[in-house]
Amino acid sequence: LAAFAVYMGMRVHACGLMQDTSHIHPIVHPLVAAPLPKRILTPFDLFAKYFKLTAWPLVLSADYSAPSLMPLSNPFAPMPLLGICLALGLTFLGIKTWRRRPAVALALGLFVCSYGLVANVLRIGTIFGERLFYWPSVFVLITFAYALFEGYQALARRGLLRTARVGLVALGVSATSLMTWRTTVRNTDWESNIALSIATARDNLQSAKACYWAGTTLVTQGPQPWMQEFGAKMLERGIDLYPEYAECYWELAKFHGRKGEFINSVELLAKAAMYHPGCNYIRGGVEAVRADMAARKPESYLPQLQAYVKEHPDEASGIFALALGYDSSGQLELAEKTCQHAFDQDHTFHEAAYEMARVRHARGEYAAAVDMLRQYVMNVPFSPDVRCLMASYLLDLDETRFPHALAEAQMNLDRAAAINPLPAIRELRMKVARRLAGESTDHNAASPHPSADLVAAGGNAS
């Protein structure tokens, strides 16, 4: 009991730390944004599903993400109702056995405590998983063993043991054989990463994450071209199940890039940037695409991007891709107007705001660039390289007109260092320190685009 209490304390502390769920993807954990009634009812639904898998593990899966498993608000739906009935039955059994069978009551109490840690009453990293029920299932099996023992004693007292022995042995052998067969079959799914990802998607085709995992594994590790093409289809299914799944767009962008389909790759990257701004792979991907475009002739990509926007005039991601093309070809005025158009189409398209800030800075509009990047940082506060870029832009401002620019730059560098201490932070801090000491630093003389170099370096360091 003492060891279990220590374990529970550690888990409760860990679960308490997980209450900040801003880093948890709603695909992995749909309860992140669920209202309180759903958060109260859904653990009963999960309890029924765990009980069903424990008693009948015919179909197992390594993933139960959205939309295959979503929060519920109807207590009369079959699985939540079953979970509520099971909870009431266990409560009644615990009260009844409290004095007569204290060991049974103890096992039930320990089960409630252990399941409470994974039921998402305190939210954890994922909504459901067979592995999460391993520890609670220990107490389920203990309780089941007590029930078998009580039945055995009841048959012995009534003199029916000899008659029932053959049936009991047959039942035990059958259950053991079936579970052995199920374990043997399941072990083949874990033969390799490819086998497991395919099995997970096969067993849970309604999970966007399972389709993403299978698709990513096949397009990157599939030894045959047809397996890679099938992986791309699985990624597309993940998008169909969850249209805002940025990682699926990103993997498809890389897949088409490896095939030499540059325009398709850029358009898919733009969609990924719209749904998952500020993360390392988006920042690095956008910078890589910009560099790739700069190395090409504008007529090799601009007409196709313009044609795509003409066909999809309301699609913000396509407009953003065109803005990247204008920026890379040096048409900064058109790039700014196109970024503004993309941002007008979708005000949550933060990467369009970032690109607009970058273009304004390149045109020498430092104050306007800072204002736009400030909006980006407020909405995407977790990117250290963008914080460094913000500090670099602030250093470009006239101190007489913007007396608080250095203090704001220092604040952004402190935030960036707290997230990830990039090498660029030290150099920028030295520049801020020299400016605060009254020394002049002509950082623009080193490069007409110091901020662009900084983002590229920061993205690689991230």
Side-chain angles (χ1 to χ4, degrees):
L1 282 175
F4 188 79
V6 171
Y7 169 80
M8 280 189 58
M10 294 172 63
R11 286 302 303 270
V12 167
H13 176 66
C15 290
L17 294 178
M18 291 292 290
Q19 291 306 294
D20 178 14
T21 54
S22 59
H23 62 290
I24 300 178
H25 205 297
I27 296 173
V28 178
H29 201 324
L31 274 176
V32 168
L36 185 60
K38 291 185 178 181
R39 288 186 56 198
I40 294 174
L41 182 63
T42 301
F44 293 100
D45 174 57
L46 302 181
F47 179 35
K49 287 181 169 61
Y50 280 127
F51 182 82
K52 177 184 176 182
L53 285 175
T54 302
W56 191 251
L58 183 61
V59 178
L60 301 173
S61 176
D63 178 81
Y64 292 90
S65 301
S68 64
L69 200 162
M70 298 297 289
L72 297 176
S73 57
N74 180 13
F76 299 104
M79 295 305 284
L81 184 60
L82 175 60
I84 293 172
C85 293
L86 286 171
L88 293 175
L90 291 177
T91 302
F92 174 77
L93 181 61
I95 295 173
K96 187 176 180 180
T97 59
W98 180 258
R99 293 187 181 276
R100 294 176 54 197
R101 297 287 188 273
V104 175
L106 176 62
L108 291 174
L110 294 176
F111 166 76
V112 171
C113 293
S114 59
Y115 177 66
L117 298 176
V118 298
N120 277 290
V121 177
L122 294 173
R123 280 173 292 184
I124 57 177
T126 187
I127 188 172
F128 186 86
E130 295 149 13
R131 65 193 183 279
L132 304 178
F133 203 66
Y134 286 166
W135 185 225
S137 69
V138 170
F139 306 110
V140 173
L141 296 177
I142 291 174
T143 306
F144 183 66
Y146 273 118
L148 289 178
F149 181 69
E150 291 290 337
Y152 182 87
Q153 285 191 324
L155 290 173
R157 285 194 300 267
R158 296 182 182 183
L160 300 175
L161 185 59
R162 182 174 299 178
T163 305
R165 185 171 295 167
V166 176
L168 291 173
V169 170
L171 180 62
V173 171
S174 299
T176 304
S177 300
L178 287 172
M179 291 296 181
T180 301
W181 169 80
R182 184 68 189 95
T183 301
T184 302
V185 172
R186 179 60 171 161
N187 282 343
T188 61
D189 294 338
W190 294 80
E191 182 180 2
S192 67
N193 198 33
I194 293 179
L196 181 59
S197 62
I198 293 175
T200 302
R202 176 201 65 205
D203 296 332
N204 198 358
L205 269 174
Q206 297 305 311
S207 168
K209 184 185 173 187
C211 294
Y212 159 74
W213 182 23
T216 301
T217 303
L218 289 174
V219 299
T220 56
Q221 302 178 30
Q224 301 295 332
W226 69 265
M227 295 182 70
Q228 298 172 15
E229 293 293 338
F230 181 71
K233 295 295 183 183
M234 293 302 297
L235 290 170
E236 291 171 1
R237 176 172 177 80
I239 292 172
D240 291 339
L241 291 170
Y242 202 98
E244 298 182 6
Y245 206 162
E247 287 84 349
C248 285
Y249 291 110
W250 167 245
E251 293 299 333
L252 280 173
K254 293 193 294 183
F255 173 71
H256 286 286
R258 288 192 294 269
K259 292 177 63 179
E261 300 171 358
F262 180 68
I263 299 301
N264 288 342
S265 178
V266 173
E267 292 165 355
L268 288 164
L269 173 64
K271 290 182 179 180
M274 181 168 62
Y275 294 123
H276 200 175
C279 61
N280 289 341
Y281 72 87
I282 293 297
R283 291 263 39 87
V286 170
E287 296 301 328
V289 163
R290 185 184 288 110
D292 200 353
M293 284 181 172
R296 297 167 180 252
K297 294 182 178 180
E299 53 268 21
S300 67
Y301 56 84
L302 276 181
Q304 297 179 61
L305 293 174
Q306 290 166 342
Y308 185 87
V309 172
K310 189 174 181 179
E311 294 176 5
H312 307 84
D314 299 327
E315 188 176 300
S317 58
I319 300 170
F320 173 72
L322 180 59
L324 289 178
Y326 285 138
D327 181 13
S328 302
S329 61
Q331 303 178 57
L332 298 183
E333 185 176 354
L334 275 175
E336 182 175 355
K337 290 180 179 179
T338 310
C339 284
Q340 184 66 60
H341 186 196
F343 192 68
D344 291 340
Q345 289 289 329
D346 186 349
H347 287 289
T348 64
F349 199 164
H350 303 304
E351 288 302 321
Y354 171 90
E355 182 67 15
M356 199 186 315
R358 186 183 180 282
V359 170
R360 286 177 176 177
H361 185 272
R363 298 182 65 190
E365 302 171 4
Y366 297 149
V370 167
D371 287 340
M372 183 55 67
L373 194 61
R374 191 179 284 125
Q375 295 181 41
Y376 179 91
V377 170
M378 288 176 62
N379 289 284
V380 188
F382 52 80
S383 178
D385 53 312
V386 176
R387 291 278 186 178
C388 290
L389 181 65
M390 182 68 176
S392 177
Y393 281 10
L394 287 164
L395 287 172
D396 291 330
L397 297 180
D398 185 353
E399 295 178 34
T400 58
R401 292 180 56 200
F402 303 95
H404 303 293
L406 294 179
E408 187 178 353
Q410 185 63 54
M411 180 272 293
N412 278 280
L413 292 175
D414 292 340
R415 296 282 179 86
I419 300 169
N420 186 2
L422 301 177
I425 296 176
R426 181 181 301 175
E427 180 181 352
L428 284 169
R429 277 181 167 167
M430 292 175 61
K431 290 183 178 180
V432 172
R434 288 198 296 268
R435 293 280 288 274
L436 289 172
E439 300 178 21
S440 62
T441 55
D442 188 12
H443 52 279
N444 283 330
S447 169
H449 272 291
S451 52
D453 299 337
L454 178 64
V455 169
N460 292 334
S462 297

